[in-house]
C-alpha cells in the first residue's frame, strides 16, 4: 500500500485512525500475567478498550461478568444501537484483515467484524443491565480481550469482572500459555543468586583487608536481587493457581524498587571509580546520583501503577510511556560517570608517569563501558524486539534471555571489581612502561 493511498484511506475512513493506535498498543506493549480483574469503566467513549492480553492453550476459558451498565449521549438526538457495542477476542494476526475490512465496508463495526471472536453485544443485556458469559477457546492463540464501541457519541459506564485461564488436568491456570514455566525459572535463578552471594561473602572474608564500602553495597545488591526473584516466583505461582498474588506482588514491588536503585547506584559508583580510583565523589558525580535515585522512585511508582491497574483504565498507557521515558533517561545518565573516569585516566597517564597501571585501568573501564551499553541495549531494545516476533507459547524464553543477560552482567562486574590484594609497589620494567606510554599515546579510542 503506497503512502499516498494510505493517507487518502485515513482521510475517508476516520475509524481506521481510531483503530490504529489501539492495535499498535496491543502489539508492542508487554503485559504482565493475567489475573482475576475487576475494572470500573466510567463515562468512556473510546472506540476500543483493551482489558487483557492472554495466551490460550487448547480449551482455554474466558469468563466475563458485567453489571451496572449505563450510557449517556454527548449529542441530544443520538439514537443508541446496542448491537454496536460489545466484547470481542482479537488475534494479533487479524489486524491487517480488520483494517482491510474497514476500508471496503462503509458501515464497518469492530464488534461485528468477520475477523474477531464475538463474545456478546449489548443487545443481549438483561433488564437490570447485567450479563454473564463463559466461552471455551477451541482455537489456541494469543488473544486480546477488547470492548468495542462503534458509537463514540455515547459514553459507557460499567463494572467488569474478567477471568482468563487455561485448564490442565482439570485445574485452572491463570498464567498465559507462554508464562507457565516462569515460577520454576525464577526459583532456579534464586538458587543461582543465593550461591552467587555466598561466593561473594567468601571472597570478601578471604580478602577482608581490601574490602571497600562498594563491595558491601554490591553484596547488598545480590541480596535484594535474589529476594526480588523469589518473590517473582511466588507471585507467578499464586497467580497461576488462584488468579491473585496473595500479597507477593507487594513484596515484589518493594524489592524491585530497592534493586533498581542499588543497581544504578553500583553502576554509577563503579563508573566514577569510587573506592577503586579515588576515595571521594566529586560534586558532579553526586549530582548524577541525586538525579538518578528520584527517577528510580518515579519509575517504580509507574511500574506499580502498570502492574496493579487494568489496561482498560484511561491513564494506563500514560504510565507506560512515563515508565519507558524514565528508564531511558536513567540508562543515559549512568554513562556520564564512566566517560568522566575514562577521560581522567587518559589525562593522568600523561602526567603521573604510571602509564602501565593507567593503561590497565583504562582498558578495564572501557570494557565496563561497553558491557554496560550492551546490557542496557539488549534488555531494553533487543529483548523487546524479539518478544514481538516470538511465538506466544515461548514468552518465557524472553524472560530467561533477559535474566541470563542480567546474570552475565553481574558476573562481569563482580569478577572485575572484586576485592583483591592491591600492591602499589609492584615492579614494572622500563620496556613495559615505555610500551604502555606508547599505547596510550596512539590509542585514540573513547575520545569522549
Amino acid at each position: 500500500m503506497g503512502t499516498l493511498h494510505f493517507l487518502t484511506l485515513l482521510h475517508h475512513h476516520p475509524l481506521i485512525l481510531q483503530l490504529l493506535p489501539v492495535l499498535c498498543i496491543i502489539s508492542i506493549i508487554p503485559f504482565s500475567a493475567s489475573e482475576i480483574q475487576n475494572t470500573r469503566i466510567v463515562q468512556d467513549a473510546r472506540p476500543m478498550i483493551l482489558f487483557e492480553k492472554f495466551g490460550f492453550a487448547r480449551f482455554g476459558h474466558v469468563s466475563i461478568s458485567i453489571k451496572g451498565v449505563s450510557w449517556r449521549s454527548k449529542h441530544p438526538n443520538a439514537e443508541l444501537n446496542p448491537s454496536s457495542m460489545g466484547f470481542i477476542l482479537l488475534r494479533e494476526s487479524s489486524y491487517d484483515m480488520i483494517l482491510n475490512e474497514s476500508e471496503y465496508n462503509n458501515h464497518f463495526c469492530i464488534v461485528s467484524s468477520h475477523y474477531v471472536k464475538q463474545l456478546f453485544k449489548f443487545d443481549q443485556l438483561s433488564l437490570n443491565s447485567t450479563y454473564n458469559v463463559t466461552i471455551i477457546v477451541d482455537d489456541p492463540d494469543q488473544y486480546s480481550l477488547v470492548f468495542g464501541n462503534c458509537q463514540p457519541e455515547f459514553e459507557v459506564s460499567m463494572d467488569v469482572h474478567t477471568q482468563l485461564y487455561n485448564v490442565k488436568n482439570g485445574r485452572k491456570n491463570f498464567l498465559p500459555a507462554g508464562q507457565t514455566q516462569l515460577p520454576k525459572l525464577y526459583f532456579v535463578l534464586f538458587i543461582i543468586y543465593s550461591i552467587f552471594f555466598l561466593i561473594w561473602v567468601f571472597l570478601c572474608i578471604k580478602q577482608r583487608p581490601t574490602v571497600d564500602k562498594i563491595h558491601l553495597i554490591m553484596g547488598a545488591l545480590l541480596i535484594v536481587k535474589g529476594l526480588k526473584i523469589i518473590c517473582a516466583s511466588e507471585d507467578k505461582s499464586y497467580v497461576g493457581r488462584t488468579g491473585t498474588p496473595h500479597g507477593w506482588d507487594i513484596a515484589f514491588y518493594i524489592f524491585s524498587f530497592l534493586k533498581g536503585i542499588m543497581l544504578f547506584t553500583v553502576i554509577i559508583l563503579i563508573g566514577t571509580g569510587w573506592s577503586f580510583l579515588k576515595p571521594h565523589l566529586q560534586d558532579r558525580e553526586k549530582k548524577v546520583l541525586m538525579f538518578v535515585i528520584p527517577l528510580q522512585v518515579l519509575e517504580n511508582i509507574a511500574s506499580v501503577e502498570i502492574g496493579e491497574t487494568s489496561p482498560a483504565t484511561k491513564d494506563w498507557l500514560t504510565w507506560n510511556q512515563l515508565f519507558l521515558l524514565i528508564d531511558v533517561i536513567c540508562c543515559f545518565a549512568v554513562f556520564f560517570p564512566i566517560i568522566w573516569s575514562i577521560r581522567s585516566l587518559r589525562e593522568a597517564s600523561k602526567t603521573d608517569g604510571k602509564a602501565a597501571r593507567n593503561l590497565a585501568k583504562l582498558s578495564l573501564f572501557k570494557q565496563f563501558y561497553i558491557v554496560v551499553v550492551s546490557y542496557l541495549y539488549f534488555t531494553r531494545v533487543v529483548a523487546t524486539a524479539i518478544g514481538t516476533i516470538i511465538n506466544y507459547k515461548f514468552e518465557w524464553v524472553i524472560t530467561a534471555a533477559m535474566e541470563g543477560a542480567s546474570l552475565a552482567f553481574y558476573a562481569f562486574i563482580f569478577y572485575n571489581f572484586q576485592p583483591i590484594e592491591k600492591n602499589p609497589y609492584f615492579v614494572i620494567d622500563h620496556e613495559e612502561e615505555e610500551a604502555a606510554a606508547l599505547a596510550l599515546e596512539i590509542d585514540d579510542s573513547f575520545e569522549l
Side-chain angles (χ1 to χ4, degrees), residues 154-360:
F154 283 91
E155 297 176 335
V156 180
S157 299
M158 56 183 168
D159 292 307
V160 184
H161 176 84
T162 59
Q163 293 188 37
L164 283 71
Y165 56 91
N166 293 308
V167 178
K168 185 176 181 180
N169 299 325
R171 294 183 177 180
K172 295 180 181 180
N173 191 330
F174 290 89
L175 287 179
Q179 297 187 19
T180 54
Q181 302 296 326
L182 289 183
K184 294 179 181 177
L185 173 64
Y186 283 132
F187 184 76
V188 171
L189 287 168
F190 170 71
I191 299 298
I192 292 174
Y193 277 102
S194 298
I195 296 173
F196 197 159
F197 174 72
L198 293 177
I199 294 173
W200 185 250
V201 171
F202 172 77
L203 289 174
C204 289
I205 294 175
K206 184 178 179 181
Q207 300 291 345
R208 187 172 182 178
T210 61
V211 172
D212 288 315
K213 293 179 181 178
I214 184 66
H215 298 121
L216 301 180
I217 298 175
M218 292 166 72
L221 172 61
L222 285 180
I223 293 176
V224 295
K225 174 66 174 180
L227 291 174
K228 174 193 172 183
I229 290 293
I230 192 61
C231 289
S233 176
E234 290 299 314
D235 180 37
K236 295 293 184 183
S237 180
Y238 272 96
V239 168
R241 296 196 305 269
T242 67
T244 56
H246 288 262
W248 283 101
D249 55 335
I250 298 175
F252 172 78
Y253 291 132
I254 291 173
F255 291 117
S256 293
F257 167 70
L258 295 175
K259 191 276 298 182
I261 289 180
M262 295 191 69
L263 175 60
F264 278 95
T265 300
V266 166
I267 293 175
I268 291 172
L269 290 178
I270 291 178
T272 62
W274 183 67
S275 292
F276 298 107
L277 303 180
K278 56 192 177 187
H280 305 290
L281 294 176
Q282 298 177 359
D283 287 340
R284 64 181 182 179
E285 294 162 348
K286 292 178 181 179
K287 289 178 181 178
V288 172
L289 270 176
M290 293 301 101
F291 176 72
V292 169
I293 291 176
L295 283 181
Q296 280 295 300
V297 174
L298 288 176
E299 182 178 349
N300 281 274
I301 292 174
S303 177
V304 172
E305 285 292 328
I306 294 169
E308 292 301 304
T309 58
S310 167
T313 56
K314 291 182 179 179
D315 58 351
W316 190 80
L317 178 59
T318 302
W319 282 110
N320 269 279
Q321 294 170 334
L322 178 64
F323 176 85
L324 294 174
L325 176 63
I326 294 174
D327 193 48
V328 170
I329 293 174
C330 288
C331 291
F332 276 106
V334 300
F335 294 143
F336 288 104
I338 308 175
I339 294 170
W340 295 334
S341 292
I342 291 173
R343 280 181 172 178
S344 63
L345 283 170
R346 290 189 64 84
E347 292 298 323
S349 67
K350 301 174 183 178
T351 58
D352 64 6
K354 300 175 183 177
R357 298 181 195 177
N358 286 325
L359 178 60

Side-chain angles (χ1 to χ4, degrees), residues 21-35:
V22 180
L23 297 181
C24 291
I25 292 170
I26 296 172
S27 300
I28 64 175
I29 292 182
F31 285 74
S32 59
S34 177
E35 304 173 7

